[in-house]
Amino acid sequence: MADWKNPPRLFIPGPVKVDEDVLQQLARPTLGHRGKEYSQLHGETVDMLKKILFTGQNVFLSTSSASGIWEAAIRNCVGLDEVVLCTCCGAFSDKWADVARSCGRNVEELRVDWGLATTAEMIDEKLASGKYAAVTLVYNETSTGLTNPVYQISEMMKQKYPDVLVFVDAVSAMVGLPLHFDDLGWDVTFASVQKAFAIPPGFAVAAVSNRALEKSKNVPGRGYYFDFQQFAKAAAKSQTPTTPSIPHVVALNFQCKKLLTEGMENVWQRHKEMGDYVRVWAKGHFDIFCEEKYASNTLTTVKNTQGVNVAEIISAVQKKHNTIFGNGYGKLKEQTFRVAHMGDITLDDLKELLTWIEEELS
Ligand SMILES: *Cc1c(COP(=O)(O)O)cnc(C)c1O
């Protein structure tokens, strides 16, 4: 059983550290989800999220983890006779392709080796065939610690393929990395709150374009729980289709206020400073797993060039300092390890953690 008086400090790339004042928000008395107070809370939260995501379009609140929205994007916006191009550059982007297939859709993959980015040129080459209705992208691949050049990709798509829908998993990017939803011309993007929003897991945020919402009307078999039409109908009343996790909405409202007070440019800059710091450290002791110009500002996947026993170091740091960082994900286990630097993690937190890792190296 966990020691609740002395909880572990988390540097895994989700769930990340949650500050005490955020935890307090989750402990507030509950509201009725069809009452005026909830609608006010919901409406205010959505308005703030629109500012955070730079959108005048739809923002939906989902009581699910982000994986639910992987499925929602596909089931709502890809017809059974259409083909979706799934770009694959690591464990999470691979998984989304699996999810699309399990929704019975026609999937084609555009694969690069883990650690490489998916570029605008690669996508352009595939889309030139004219056979794809939509593309899936992962903004920030949490397995390889890589940020795809989504701004360049989106610019190319807007110019050459304006009719192809763009779905972007921004789970470990949203808040930590720039995201101008309307300017980018995206159709669906989403994140769960246990990443850079720094809230306990169990809730997700999605932005959906007006054209994606319009298209979904005519896509059969959308199901119920993740039906965008149901979300839109409820959103018109500042509600959700089913009973939401109200404590999460309260915490999200609290975090959004903090983010807007700080200013998104400053929030992104803060993440960049943490990323720069961890990258310098990583290169001093090991190396960065992915190509450095694509290295993420929300987490670093460190390449284990020293051949150290990662699991042993993680367990030693946990034992001595009650602090946990991440082993490599999936097939990158032991070949890499991962340090999150997102949300309410600070540079001081990171300095402490990295010193402790160093102590285990010597
Ligand atoms: C964590 C993560 C997910 C999965 O999110 P859940 O909230 O566990 O569903 C998906 N994609 C990326 C890039 C992630 O980092």
Side-chain angles (χ1 to χ4, degrees), residues 144-183:
T144 60
L146 174 137
T147 301
N148 278 306
V150 292
Y151 276 71
Q152 278 113 296
I153 293 169
S154 305
E155 201 46 51
M156 180 280 292
M157 296 219 29
K158 278 202 308 193
Q159 278 174 23
K160 300 183 76 171
Y161 309 100
D163 296 334
V164 176
L165 299 193
V166 185
F167 311 143
V168 185
D169 168 333
V171 181
S172 61
M174 193 180 283
V175 172
L177 306 178
L179 201 171
H180 301 84
F181 185 75
D182 289 355
D183 284 351

Side-chain angles (χ1 to χ4, degrees), residues 280-297:
V280 167
W281 181 89
K283 284 189 291 180
H285 298 272
F286 297 93
D287 205 351
I288 297 165
F289 177 72
C290 71
E291 197 185 333
E292 189 173 351
K293 82 172 190 188
Y294 296 113
S296 166
N297 285 332

Side-chain angles (χ1 to χ4, degrees), residues 149-360:
V150 292
Y151 276 71
Q152 278 113 296
I153 293 169
S154 305
E155 201 46 51
M156 180 280 292
M157 296 219 29
K158 278 202 308 193
Q159 278 174 23
K160 300 183 76 171
Y161 309 100
D163 296 334
V164 176
L165 299 193
V166 185
F167 311 143
V168 185
D169 168 333
V171 181
S172 61
M174 193 180 283
V175 172
L177 306 178
L179 201 171
H180 301 84
F181 185 75
D182 289 355
D183 284 351
L184 286 160
W186 291 354
D187 292 287
V188 181
T189 195
F190 50 91
S192 31
V193 297
Q194 76 273 19
K195 310 271 167 114
F197 282 105
I199 296 170
F203 206 75
V205 167
V208 176
S209 72
N210 294 331
R211 72 168 179 175
L213 190 60
E214 196 54 35
K215 179 173 181 181
S216 71
K217 280 185 186 158
N218 300 314
V219 177
R222 300 188 299 276
Y224 173 71
Y225 196 73
F226 291 113
D227 180 1
F228 286 162
Q229 292 301 317
Q230 297 288 345
F231 272 98
K233 217 164 70 188
K237 295 185 281 184
S238 288
Q239 292 182 355
T240 48
T242 57
T243 319
S245 173
I246 295 168
H248 276 103
V249 186
V250 179
L252 187 57
N253 184 284
F254 182 80
Q255 290 295 64
C256 287
K257 276 191 185 131
K258 277 197 332 205
L259 289 166
L260 289 174
T261 302
E262 185 178 356
M264 293 315 294
E265 300 278 342
N266 298 328
V267 175
W268 301 329
Q269 181 59 28
R270 175 161 59 77
H271 282 81
K272 182 179 182 303
E273 281 160 19
M274 292 194 288
D276 286 340
Y277 185 87
V278 177
R279 282 190 286 277
V280 167
W281 181 89
K283 284 189 291 180
H285 298 272
F286 297 93
D287 205 351
I288 297 165
F289 177 72
C290 71
E291 197 185 333
E292 189 173 351
K293 82 172 190 188
Y294 296 113
S296 166
N297 285 332
T298 59
L299 84 149
T300 297
T301 299
V302 181
K303 188 173 179 180
N304 181 7
T305 50
Q306 294 198 38
V308 298
N309 186 323
V310 172
E312 244 167 45
I313 295 179
I314 291 173
S315 119
V317 170
Q318 180 172 10
K319 226 177 256 156
K320 290 181 203 167
H321 308 287
N322 196 23
T323 294
I324 306 174
F325 63 100
N327 205 321
Y329 191 97
K331 68 181 185 189
L332 296 180
K333 201 168 176 168
E334 290 296 322
Q335 287 176 47
T336 64
F337 62 89
R338 296 174 305 154
V339 175
H341 30 84
M342 62 176 105
D344 288 328
I345 291 172
T346 66
L347 201 51
D348 284 341
D349 290 331
L350 289 163
K351 287 177 182 170
E352 222 166 11
L353 168 70
L354 297 177
T355 309
W356 293 334
I357 298 176
E358 273 170 45
E359 281 167 13
E360 297 307 317

Side-chain angles (χ1 to χ4, degrees), residues 13 65-68 70 92 138 140-142 169 171-172 192 194-195:
S65 82
S67 304
W70 271 345
F92 291 95
V138 168
N140 193 73
E141 202 7 288
T142 317
D169 168 333
V171 181
S172 61
S192 31
Q194 76 273 19
K195 310 271 167 114

